[in-house]
Amino acid sequence: ESGMDTIIRRLGAHRIRVVEMPKGMDVADVVKKFGADELKRRIREAREPKIRSVLSHADVLDRLMAMGEEKWLPTPWPGVTRILAGGTLPGHLVSIIAPPKIGKTSTCLEWANYHAAVCDTPSLVWCVEMPAHKLGSMVVSIQTGSTRRPSKAEIYCAKQKFSSVPIYYGFSPRIKPEVLIQTFRDCYMRFGVRSFWFDNVHFAVRGSDDMAKDIGVWIKNLKEFSMEYMSHVFAVGQPNKVGIKSGAN
């Protein structure tokens, strides 16, 4: 809580006015340099303090004018892109939920590779179940159009053709939310990553005494990161296995 917040809480915003002063100057400095009339002018133009987290419509419009164009990211599938009205927007968390063994990881890798290869948007795929070399092998199959595990020759060809595609992989089966978010920040700064994938939330909280609470912590951290860094964040999960058959639609 800032000093202004403390004063507002004690006195009420309606009883306070903010008098703008030149940078590095106080009341005495203004009077000494510009005279008392300048101080009186500033007092007449004093404004009410802003209420934390509350913006007027005019303030929002000013911010929108100052912002650059938001970059929609489409999907590799035109039908899905149409359903999403053009794709996904930065600052949003997208949840991808499906039963186990239905191809969630493959779908996410194809999507992330599309962002990196076609949309020129660096992507990071973090998985708690598969190490980086397995993720990379699956992406090679996607890049080469193969339906099987790539051969050494296919991997060599992929290295010659696709090594510059900005897709990154992370793996740790026991990572904590705060560690993952810091890693996301580092990749945002170092590699320019803007498309982040976490696979999967339910596996990350396995063995928890309170899964609902821990899943909430993960989702909260991922959502706050997406908003703070205006990035595309995707969280993979699966519903409770009870009553769900593997491979169900």
Side-chain angles (χ1 to χ4, degrees), residues 95-100 104 128-129 173-174 198-208 211-212 214-216 218-219 222 235-241 244:
S95 297
I96 300 172
I97 309 296
K104 296 186 296 296
V128 297
E129 296 182 82
R174 296 287 180 183
F198 182 61
D199 181 15
N200 73 54
V201 174
H202 287 78
F203 192 86
V205 301
R206 66 196 182 284
S208 168
M211 289 189 65
D214 290 340
I215 288 173
W218 273 105
I219 296 301
L222 292 169
V236 182
Q238 62 190 37
N240 193 314
K241 294 181 180 180
I244 296 178

Side-chain angles (χ1 to χ4, degrees), residues 7-235:
I7 295 173
I8 291 174
R9 179 167 51 81
R10 290 178 178 176
L11 301 180
H14 64 288
R15 300 175 64 186
I16 298 171
R17 295 295 181 271
V18 178
V19 180
E20 298 287 349
M21 294 290 175
K23 186 176 180 179
M25 300 180 69
D26 59 18
V27 172
D29 295 328
V30 170
V31 172
K32 182 178 180 180
K33 185 172 183 178
F34 302 109
D37 288 341
E38 172 63 15
L39 178 61
K40 292 177 181 178
R41 182 188 69 79
R42 290 179 176 272
I43 292 174
R44 287 195 301 270
E45 295 177 356
R47 58 176 175 80
E48 293 183 336
K50 292 184 180 294
I51 299 175
R52 179 186 287 272
S53 302
V54 176
L55 296 175
S56 70
H57 187 57
D59 290 335
V60 170
L61 293 177
D62 287 340
R63 288 195 178 191
L64 289 172
M65 290 291 292
M67 291 171 61
E69 290 291 329
E70 292 183 307
K71 185 177 181 181
W72 288 80
L73 284 183
T75 78
W77 315 283
V80 176
T81 300
R82 284 195 298 272
I83 291 172
L84 296 177
T88 60
L89 274 173
H92 291 257
L93 172 64
V94 178
S95 297
I96 300 172
I97 309 296
K101 306 299 182 182
I102 202 172
K104 296 186 296 296
T105 299
S106 299
T107 298
C108 292
L109 287 172
E110 183 173 355
W111 200 343
N113 176 71
Y114 184 82
H115 283 174
V118 179
C119 303
D120 196 27
T121 301
S123 302
L124 169 65
V125 180
W126 191 285
C127 187
V128 297
E129 296 182 82
M130 292 186 189
H133 69 275
K134 287 191 175 182
L135 297 173
S137 177
M138 294 172 70
V139 169
V140 169
S141 295
I142 292 168
Q143 293 172 336
T144 59
S146 175
T147 57
R148 54 179 174 77
R149 182 178 178 180
S151 64
K152 290 289 186 181
E154 288 171 327
I155 293 172
Y156 177 81
C157 291
K159 181 174 176 60
Q160 304 305 309
K161 188 174 182 180
F162 301 111
S163 60
S164 62
V165 173
I167 186 169
Y168 304 88
Y169 311 102
F171 168 73
S172 177
R174 296 287 180 183
I175 195 165
K176 301 297 183 183
E178 61 273 14
V179 177
L180 179 76
I181 296 304
Q182 184 56 53
T183 304
F184 278 10
R185 291 192 185 103
D186 293 340
C187 291
Y188 178 97
M189 299 299 294
R190 182 177 298 183
F191 305 126
V193 173
R194 297 297 183 271
S195 173
F196 296 86
W197 301 77
F198 182 61
D199 181 15
N200 73 54
V201 174
H202 287 78
F203 192 86
V205 301
R206 66 196 182 284
S208 168
D209 294 330
D210 192 343
M211 289 189 65
K213 177 182 177 181
D214 290 340
I215 288 173
V217 171
W218 273 105
I219 296 301
K220 178 177 180 292
N221 276 271
L222 292 169
K223 176 60 178 176
E224 288 179 348
F225 172 83
S226 71
M227 295 174 65
E228 180 181 359
Y229 286 85
M230 289 304 291
S231 294
H232 303 260
V233 180
F234 303 80

